[in-house]
Amino acid sequence: MGPLIEGKTAMSPTTHQTADTTIIGGGFFGSMIACHLAAKGQRVILLERGENLLERASHNNQARVHQGYHYPRSLITGLRSRENYTRFVAEFGDCVHRGFDKYYAIGREFSKVNAAQFELFCKRIGAPLSEAPIQVKALFDRGLIEEVFRVEEAAFDARKLTAMVWYRLEKSNILVWTKSEATRVEHSAGGIRVTANRLGRTVAIQSNQVFNCTYSDLNGILRASDLPLIPLKHELAELALVQPPPILAKLGITIMCGPFFSLMPFPSTPWHSFSHVRYTPHAGWNENTADDMSPQEARAMGEPVSRVEMMRLDALRYMPDVAAIIPKKSLFEIKTVLPVNEKDDGRPILFRRDCGLPGLHCVLGAKLDNIHDILDEIDNAGALAARHAA
Ligand SMILES: Cc1cc2nc3c(=O)[nH]c(=O)nc-3n(C[C@H](O)[C@H](O)[C@H](O)COP(=O)(O)OP(=O)(O)OC[C@H]3O[C@@H](n4cnc5c(N)ncnc54)[C@H](O)[C@@H]3O)c2cc1C
């Protein structure tokens, strides 16, 4: 297969295509899995519904490179994040922004952890933590905030990540089709067939295996293919982008662990992302059966009215300088997690092989640094399959 890449190289119309692996979904996970398999010599085709790669959740998120601090109620997620942070920063260092100081504060009331528990948790996962300087503590209302810690946490630049991903895909000779929506997956002689709508034409792609990397739309392709759904929990999330006042410009702030807020650089813009546990989720629902609302249906209802003012009014109680933020725009995205993590807030990966069909694998990454766990899992599964075949 030649290096045919949509928008980069002219290609003739085609209604049939073959590959070793078809990847559905050109977010960070689909793109990185495509590169990983191509590096092992596979011919890979990547289908993305949108006009560009990494335009959905891989862009519309808080851009936090997790190092575990965020998950004091899930030791496993904390530990995995710690390990993956190092790997992520090493591999995607050019896309990682560290030009700010990051602080985690602990609320006195309504918090699910106290300062001592948070400190102990960080110690257990080996995450660096120190006391915040006095001038930073002074930014908080100490009647509402028990303690403030300095931590090491970075943010990624999703635009730089997109450019890096394109570069890798091009170098790997992967066939990338944007504006191409997979509409059905089915068994076919000698493998698995994906039907896709590509620029108004129907295309059939024959391959040995298919990775469904569509994140919130994971069940969309399963529904359309009459396959059992994976129980998922969705949340329509608002991430506000705001101009911080100068005193907060070089700071990232997260208050744990309850109905609080986060304000931290969003490196692909000059702004900070601003989110609030109470106001960021506009709606939440489970998708267990075909009768439940799909993310596509939710999107079709349009964007809700912004709640950035509610976020601001609550956050300034804890940190009075938040009063001076200037809202710029809001990103709305559907956040998807496994229902099992509703209580502990953990963010494990989902990697389900032969998901309703032999050769159809479903992947849910939950946060970007999980990519390393997914790629390890794919390699382990490949090695296991090879052992069984031998
Ligand atoms: C509000 C919010 C905040 C978050 N904060 C963080 C954070 O701070 N740090 C972090 O690491 N993670 C965070 N996450 C999680 C992170 O964004 C996701 O884990 C990650 O982006 C998932 O990547 P993905 O490639 O699986 O999904 P996506 O980037 O959504 O990619 C899926 C792609 O599939 C395409 N697609 C869907 N259906 C089809 C189809 N039928 N055919 C073809 N293409 C299709 C979509 O267009 C999309 O481009 C956050 C998520 C949200 C929503």
Side-chain angles (χ1 to χ4, degrees):
M1 188 184 296
L4 298 172
I5 294 180
E6 166 70 14
K8 309 281 171 182
T9 311
M11 57 176 302
S12 57
T14 175
T15 48
H16 291 276
Q17 187 73 43
T18 59
D20 296 319
T21 298
T22 305
I23 311 262
I24 306 173
F28 183 67
F29 280 86
S31 302
M32 291 307 300
I33 291 171
C35 292
H36 188 71
L37 296 177
K40 293 180 181 299
Q42 294 208 17
R43 295 174 310 138
V44 181
I45 180 164
L46 172 62
L47 303 177
E48 166 52 44
R49 180 166 61 198
E51 296 195 353
N52 196 358
L53 305 175
L54 277 69
E55 289 275 280
R56 299 295 328 184
S58 296
H59 176 268
N60 301 336
N61 67 65
Q62 217 173 13
R64 188 191 305 269
V65 185
H66 284 280
Q67 165 130 255
Y69 303 104
H70 215 64
Y71 303 106
R73 291 180 292 127
S74 174
L75 189 63
I76 290 188
T77 299
L79 282 167
R80 293 305 314 147
S81 303
R82 267 287 288 143
E83 189 173 325
N84 287 335
Y85 181 86
T86 313
R87 295 172 83 182
F88 191 91
V89 170
E91 185 169 355
F92 303 102
D94 290 348
C95 310
V96 173
H97 172 64
R98 300 209 239 190
F100 65 101
D101 294 332
K102 185 73 212 232
Y103 296 95
Y104 272 63
I106 310 294
R108 275 192 200 280
E109 282 185 53
F110 312 120
S111 181
K112 293 175 184 154
V113 292
N114 61 33
Q117 289 167 330
F118 184 70
E119 227 176 332
L120 182 64
F121 168 77
C122 292
K123 210 180 212 169
R124 288 175 80 185
I125 65 166
L129 189 81
S130 57
E131 202 180 334
I134 288 171
Q135 67 274 20
V136 172
K137 288 189 180 188
L139 297 172
F140 292 86
D141 180 326
R142 297 309 304 274
L144 296 178
I145 293 294
E146 183 192 352
E147 196 48 277
V148 186
F149 297 102
R150 170 106 195 249
V151 303
E152 282 177 31
E153 196 180 66
F156 57 84
D157 182 327
R159 293 290 177 224
K160 286 188 182 166
L161 213 50
T162 307
M164 182 185 268
V165 161
W166 266 114
Y167 175 75
R168 289 188 182 191
L169 290 164
E170 286 183 353
K171 250 186 36 183
S172 310
N173 271 359
I174 292 162
L175 188 61
V176 181
W177 282 357
T178 55
K179 298 180 215 155
S180 302
E181 179 173 20
T183 52
R184 190 171 170 86
V185 180
E186 59 205 325
H187 178 72
S188 70
I192 186 161
R193 179 170 52 232
V194 175
T195 306
N197 182 327
R198 172 164 164 68
L199 303 162
R201 297 175 64 108
T202 301
V203 186
I205 303 146
Q206 179 75 26
S207 49
N208 302 327
Q209 59 176 353
V210 173
F211 282 85
N212 176 4
C213 305
T214 53
Y215 188 59
S216 57
D217 287 317
L218 215 54
N219 282 328
I221 194 76
L222 300 179
R223 280 174 195 252
S225 309
D226 304 312
L227 297 172
L229 304 197
I230 298 171
L232 295 175
K233 167 122 175 48
H234 303 295
E235 189 177 287
L236 174 59
E238 175 180 7
L239 193 71
L241 298 182
V242 303
Q243 183 182 310
I247 196 166
L248 302 181
K250 293 267 183 222
L251 302 185
I253 307 293
T254 297
I255 303 187
M256 296 296 288
C257 173
F260 307 120
F261 74 93
S262 251
L263 180 69
M264 61 183 281
F266 191 71
S268 59
T269 71
W271 305 320
H272 276 32
S273 68
F274 184 37
S275 60
H276 192 295
V277 169
R278 191 179 297 138
Y279 301 114
T280 284
H282 281 250
W285 72 100
N286 289 303
E287 188 188 19
N288 297 325
T289 72
D291 292 334
D292 294 327
M293 183 167 60
S294 71
Q296 283 278 64
E297 287 165 334
R299 275 184 217 111
M301 290 161 74
E303 288 181 357
V305 175
S306 171
R307 289 185 183 158
V308 64
E309 185 55 12
M310 295 180 191
M311 296 186 203
R312 191 182 72 88
L313 286 175
D314 189 64
L316 66 82
R317 296 191 303 119
Y318 298 93
M319 199 175 205
D321 288 304
V322 171
I325 59 165
I326 303 172
K328 292 294 179 180
K329 65 190 273 197
S330 279
L331 305 174
F332 290 93
E333 190 52 79
I334 292 175
K335 184 172 192 168
T336 298
V337 297
L338 302 174
V340 70
N341 297 120
E342 261 179 282
K343 286 205 168 61
D344 70 0
D345 205 32
R347 290 287 182 273
I349 56 170
L350 173 122
F351 175 55
R352 194 169 290 181
R353 276 175 67 82
D354 301 324
C355 196
L357 267 185
L360 172 62
H361 315 312
C362 289
V363 166
L364 182 84
K367 56 191 178 61
L368 262 67
D369 57 283
N370 282 347
I371 188 62
H372 303 290
D373 286 340
I374 291 275
L375 298 182
D376 290 349
E377 202 56 41
I378 288 172
D379 287 347
N380 291 342
L384 202 64
R387 268 210 298 281
H388 280 161

